[in-house]
Amino acid sequence: MNIQEYNVKDQATWCPGCGNFSIHTALKMALSELNISPSSTFVAFDIGCNGNGADKINVYGFKGLHGRAIPLAVGAHLANRQYTVFADLGDGACLHEGIDHLIHAVRSNYDITVLIHNNQNFALTTGQATATTNKKKSMYGLSDGKPEKDINIGELVLSLNPSFFARGYTGDLKGLKDIIKEGVKHKGCSIIEIMQACPTYNPECTPQWFGKRIKSVECTNEIQKARSNVIITDKSIKVGIIYKNTKLPTFYDSITNRKNIKTELVDEVKQYNVKNIIKLLD
Ligand code: SF4
Ligand code: MG
């Protein structure tokens, strides 16, 4: 599939140097190389700078309320498994308004891919602290520094016995594209944290800053090893497919009432005339 197929004529309006350009491009490259057409792809976008890319890519999509990209993606996936489904959201949406959805998506092991743009702030609303902002860092409205502890996305996800956790970096486009491809190919809930450059509200984390810390890591299926690999220190941020467990059944494979049913829910509801249901409610 030619990568041009995923382009639209409008240009994204992100700041120069924003990592969102890289994430969008990596997603298009991954879809193109996997030969997944725009009309077979659904992306649920969230509120945030990342969500401003919702109409800048030629796929089926929906931009929902803050923190709700994951349940939208889950709903689309459960209605029609013929689609390749993504949830695309920021660290703020994912760890604040939407943290419950992240937890339930992982434990249910829905066969979707979740792209978490981690720029360590609420960028759309001018740089407030999120749960991934370093403790004590001074942010908009918190000039004395963030008082709370931060959340490490990898540690949180690995505590839930996931089937797939990876971490990418926006300064490594090819590496990020390869991670997204593996996430799509994985049968189960693929959580991909993306360390995202935000030169406007997280200017300390320059490409040089990341360059000194980003290190590749081999995939493991040993949870304890993965747990040590996701720890972020001042010297090291490990990236790659960090953990994969191919033995966990997906949500659909775990439910018995859909066993041996080959049709999709979206086709089955077509036999019902919703007008009749609305009449009953009158
Ligand atoms: Fe990107 Fe940050 Fe600008 Fe938002 S504020 S567009 S995340 S660089
Ligand atoms: Mg953010």
Side-chain angles (χ1 to χ4, degrees), residues 69-242:
I70 291 176
L72 286 166
V74 169
H77 160 64
L78 295 181
N80 192 346
R81 289 166 302 150
Q82 305 307 313
Y83 278 79
T84 299
V85 173
F86 296 86
D88 185 281
L89 69 172
D91 51 316
C94 188
L95 297 179
H96 292 262
E97 290 84 349
I99 193 165
D100 46 344
H101 304 307
L102 173 70
I103 290 167
H104 292 296
V106 172
R107 82 179 179 88
S108 302
N109 203 24
Y110 300 114
D111 190 10
I112 62 169
T113 303
V114 180
L115 305 176
I116 307 170
H117 301 224
N118 184 6
N119 61 4
Q120 300 180 299
N121 75 95
F122 283 108
L124 188 73
T125 47
T126 66
Q128 292 82 5
T130 66
T132 59
T133 307
N134 291 337
K135 189 178 177 187
K136 298 205 173 123
K137 188 171 175 186
S138 173
M139 300 296 288
Y140 186 90
L142 281 175
S143 50
D144 292 337
K146 186 182 108 168
E148 306 105 330
K149 286 191 279 188
D150 44 294
I151 291 177
N152 178 312
I153 295 174
E155 287 180 18
L156 172 66
V157 171
L158 290 173
S159 74
L160 300 167
N161 192 24
S163 67
F164 184 105
F165 177 75
R167 188 187 281 142
Y169 162 51
T170 53
D172 176 8
L173 182 60
K174 183 186 172 301
L176 183 55
K177 176 261 296 176
D178 288 340
I179 286 172
I180 295 174
K181 278 174 73 178
E182 289 306 309
V184 171
K185 285 195 273 179
H186 173 71
K187 217 167 153 9
C189 189
S190 305
I191 305 292
I192 303 176
E193 175 190 17
I194 304 167
M195 305 308 292
Q196 186 213 321
C198 172
T200 304
Y201 294 115
N202 195 10
E204 300 86 352
C205 298
T206 60
Q208 292 74 22
W209 186 95
F210 275 118
K212 281 189 196 144
R213 292 161 176 82
I214 294 287
K215 298 183 174 33
S216 313
V217 70
E218 292 289 314
C219 181
T220 179
N221 58 7
E222 291 172 38
I223 198 93
Q224 287 306 341
K225 200 167 171 191
R227 281 189 179 137
S228 70
N229 285 339
V230 293
I231 293 168
I232 293 174
T233 68
D234 192 43
K235 293 202 171 71
S236 151
I237 303 171
K238 299 209 173 89
V239 297
I241 315 290
I242 293 180

Side-chain angles (χ1 to χ4, degrees), residues 45-56:
F45 291 92
D46 215 286
I47 303 296
C49 288
N50 57 301
N52 286 352
D55 58 349
K56 308 297 186 305

Side-chain angles (χ1 to χ4, degrees), residues 245-264:
N245 179 354
T246 53
K247 297 202 171 89
L248 287 180
T250 65
F251 176 81
Y252 236 95
D253 291 341
S254 304
I255 52 178
T256 48
N257 63 334
R258 300 287 305 170
K259 262 209 162 63
N260 304 322
I261 297 177
K262 300 280 178 243
T263 48
E264 299 295 333

